[in-house]
């Protein structure tokens, strides 16, 4: 395991530095290393690391979501309003519609199998999008119109919506019955996640305040550990509550961090944000190298030209969905284009659930996995490059 971790950190960081030096996003180097050392290419990673790959990726994602919550200003998010809510489900719906219409024609799958494929492929990657939006918020690019805040919030909710749809469509593909209550899990999961996170955030603030009043000041490093441990509990609560109620652990983590930022002293929240930023340096490498390692590149060769065409058709549908969300806003044409680019990347969710239809024995399983792998390899670098290259040119810097 130690050798595998050494490879992940040292080779991953080296590749990231090389790509950054030549003007490309670090993520491309890390994904490339992950693909190269994966069991499907050089097979350099120990089974013990691959066995906990999902948990390690989840931990890394939690770190950046806490950082996002500590950077997110709730008043800015409230100012965005309707578009932020629409961004959490409208673009995904449009993309799924694209798959349902064209996948049966291009890939020879049934309509319900096309819906399963669309649910796998329609989730935006928070791992790619969130850290970039956090950076833009800190640099104050686009914050006057709350553009990065809107994208960050939408990307965080988007996954909840898509995963619930995925579970529903898979049940239908297996011949099971679907009830209307299944779709109620989407708003329930979001609302309960936010409420759980808000209450937890208030409890953490109370703990910090009590310790300060009793002259037992908690060091910021300890506060980081407390927040990180609590975030792990919130993610576990999602699993524990699953038989009884749908709860979004990821949204709970963001909400907890938002409340800490809101209630804690400004200097404390700034220091916590800095410390989680430092943790992200290591977590980022783990996340993207292991996402790359989960990609079975053998399926890209089987995907074919029609799969490639299908991906770009679906992205065009997604772009229309983003434009619909932006209707009635004061955003310029270029700013709307940036929102479309920011909603392109796919990686985390596709790596996590892309192989599920195949493991369940669905006839479309191999096709879904092939398209998912191809989508990761195309859209993750495309979205990352697009965001990095256009953000400072398109978005205005807020001087206040």
């Amino acid at each position: 395991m130690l050798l595998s971790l050494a490879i992940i950190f040292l080779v991953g960081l080296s590749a990231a530095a090389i790509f950054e030096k030549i003007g490309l996003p670090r993520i491309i180097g890390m994904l490339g290393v992950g693909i190269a050392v994966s069991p499907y290419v050089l097979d350099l990673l120990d089974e013990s690391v691959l066995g906990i790959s999902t948990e390690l990726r989840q931990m890394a994602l939690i770190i950046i979501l806490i950082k996002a919550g500590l950077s997110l200003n709730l008043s800015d998010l409230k100012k965005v309003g309707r578009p932020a809510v629409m961004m959490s489900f409208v673009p995904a719906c449009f993309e799924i519609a694209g798959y349902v219409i064209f996948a049966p024609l291009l890939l020879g799958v049934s309509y319900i199998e096309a819906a399963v494929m669309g649910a796998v492929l329609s989730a935006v990657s928070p791992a790619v999008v969130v850290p970039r939006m956090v950076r833009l918020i800190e640099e104050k690019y686009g914050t006057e119109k709350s553009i990065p805040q809107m994208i960050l919030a939408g990307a965080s909710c988007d996954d909840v919506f898509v995963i619930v749809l995925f579970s529903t469509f898979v049940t239908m593909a297996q011949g099971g019955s679907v009830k209307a209550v299944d779709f109620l899990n989407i708003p329930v999961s979001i609302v309960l996640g936010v409420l759980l996170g808000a209450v937890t955030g208030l409890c953490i603030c109370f703990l910090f305040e009590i310790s300060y009043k009793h002259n037992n000041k908690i060091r910021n490093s300890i506060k980081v550990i407390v927040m990180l441990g609590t975030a792990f509990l919130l993610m576990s609560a999602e699993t524990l509550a699953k038989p009884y109620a749908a709860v979004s652990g990821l949204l709970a983590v963001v909400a907890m961090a938002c409340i800490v930022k809101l209630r804690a002293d400004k200097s404390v929240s700034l220091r916590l944000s800095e410390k989680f930023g430092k943790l992200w340096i290591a977590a980022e490498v783990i996340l993207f190298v292991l996402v790359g390692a989960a990609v079975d590149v053998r399926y890209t060769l089987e995907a074919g030209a029609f799969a490639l065409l299908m991906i770009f058709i679906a992205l065009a549908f997604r772009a229309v969905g983003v434009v619909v969300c932006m209707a009635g806003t004061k955003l310029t044409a270029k700013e709307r284009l940036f929102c479309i680019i920011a909603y392109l990347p796919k990686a985390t969710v596709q790596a996590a659930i892309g192989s599920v239809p195949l493991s369940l024995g669905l006839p479309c399983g191999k096709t879904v996995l092939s398209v998912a792998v191809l989508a990761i390899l195309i859209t993750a670098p495309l979205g990352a490059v697009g965001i990095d290259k256009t953000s400072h040119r398109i978005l205005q810097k807020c001087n206040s």
Side-chain angles (χ1 to χ4, degrees):
M1 179 184 279
L2 293 178
L3 178 59
S4 295
L5 290 174
I7 290 170
I8 290 170
F9 282 119
L10 299 178
V11 182
L13 277 174
S14 299
I18 291 168
F19 274 78
E20 190 175 38
K21 194 75 174 174
I22 60 176
L24 293 172
R26 293 160 57 84
I27 178 183
I28 300 177
M30 291 181 277
L31 281 172
V33 168
I35 292 169
V37 301
S38 72
Y40 316 107
V41 184
L42 298 178
D43 195 16
L44 297 180
L45 297 182
D46 193 89
E47 282 293 329
S48 56
V49 171
L50 294 172
I52 58 170
S53 172
T54 302
E55 288 76 15
L56 289 172
R57 280 183 279 151
Q58 197 171 58
M59 287 168 63
L61 194 55
I62 286 169
I63 288 170
I64 193 57
L65 287 172
I66 294 175
K67 169 78 171 164
L70 290 169
S71 302
L72 198 58
N73 193 320
L74 291 177
S75 61
D76 288 341
L77 196 55
K78 187 178 178 182
K79 189 170 66 176
V80 175
R82 175 190 56 82
V85 174
M86 291 182 69
M87 287 286 275
S88 65
F89 68 95
V90 172
C93 286
F94 271 77
E95 188 166 0
I96 291 171
Y99 279 100
V100 171
I101 294 168
F102 287 97
L105 300 173
L106 295 175
L107 303 175
V109 296
S110 68
Y111 285 107
I112 188 58
E113 288 172 340
V116 171
M117 184 183 296
V120 171
L121 273 297
S122 62
V124 69
S125 173
V128 179
V129 174
V130 171
R132 283 169 169 76
M133 295 307 110
V134 170
R135 191 183 71 238
L136 291 175
I137 291 170
E138 290 175 342
E139 295 175 350
K140 297 187 180 298
Y141 276 95
T143 52
E144 189 172 343
K145 295 183 181 178
S146 302
I147 295 170
Q149 294 95 319
M150 174 184 66
I151 294 169
L152 193 157
S156 299
C157 297
D158 172 270
D159 288 0
V160 176
F161 175 74
V162 167
I163 289 170
V164 172
L165 285 186
F166 172 71
S167 302
T168 305
F169 292 147
V170 164
T171 302
M172 292 170 68
Q174 290 178 307
S177 60
V178 176
K179 302 173 185 176
V181 72
D182 293 332
F183 293 97
L184 282 175
N185 282 335
I186 297 168
V188 168
S189 175
I190 292 170
V191 171
L192 289 182
V194 171
L195 285 176
L196 177 61
V199 171
T200 305
L202 288 172
C203 292
I204 289 175
C205 290
F206 180 72
L207 172 66
F208 293 166
E209 288 167 9
I210 287 292
S211 65
Y212 186 78
K213 286 178 182 177
H214 288 79
N215 295 320
N216 186 23
K217 191 176 179 182
I218 302 175
R219 293 175 57 188
N220 288 321
S221 299
I222 302 297
K223 289 176 182 176
V224 167
I225 295 171
V226 168
M227 287 188 68
L228 202 53
T230 307
F232 294 161
L233 277 177
L234 291 174
M235 291 301 297
S236 301
E238 177 179 347
T239 306
L240 294 171
K242 202 168 187 178
Y244 314 103
V247 180
S248 170
L250 292 180
L251 282 180
V253 171
V254 176
M256 174 196 72
C258 281
I259 295 298
V260 170
K261 175 185 170 65
L262 189 68
R263 293 293 301 270
D265 185 82
K266 188 176 180 180
S267 61
V268 172
S269 62
L270 280 172
R271 281 193 226 104
L272 288 174
S273 182
E274 287 172 7
K275 286 187 177 291
F276 276 104
K278 290 174 183 176
L279 279 178
W280 173 242
I281 294 170
E284 180 186 34
V285 183
I286 292 173
L287 177 60
F288 290 116
V289 171
L290 290 179
V291 165
V295 172
D296 189 343
V297 289
R298 295 174 299 180
Y299 286 100
T300 57
L301 301 175
E302 299 175 14
F306 284 121
L308 187 65
L309 178 62
M310 182 67 252
I311 289 168
F312 282 104
I313 289 173
L315 289 177
F317 270 75
R318 186 177 190 84
V320 173
V322 174
V323 170
V324 169
C325 295
M326 298 299 107
T329 65
K330 294 180 180 179
L331 270 61
T332 65
K334 287 185 177 181
E335 288 168 341
R336 294 176 194 218
L337 175 62
F338 175 78
C339 293
I340 291 171
I341 294 169
Y343 252 50
L344 291 179
K346 304 176 187 303
T348 329
V349 175
Q350 289 72 27
I353 66 174
S355 60
V356 172
L358 182 62
S359 66
L360 293 175
L362 294 180
C364 64
K366 204 168 183 180
T367 306
V368 171
L369 182 56
S370 300
V371 178
V373 169
L374 195 59
I376 292 171
L377 295 176
I378 292 170
T379 64
L382 184 65
V385 170
I387 294 169
D388 291 348
K389 296 294 183 183
T390 63
S391 56
H392 288 192
R393 296 178 184 178
I394 290 177
L395 303 181
Q396 289 187 341
K397 185 165 185 175
C398 180
N399 296 319
S400 60

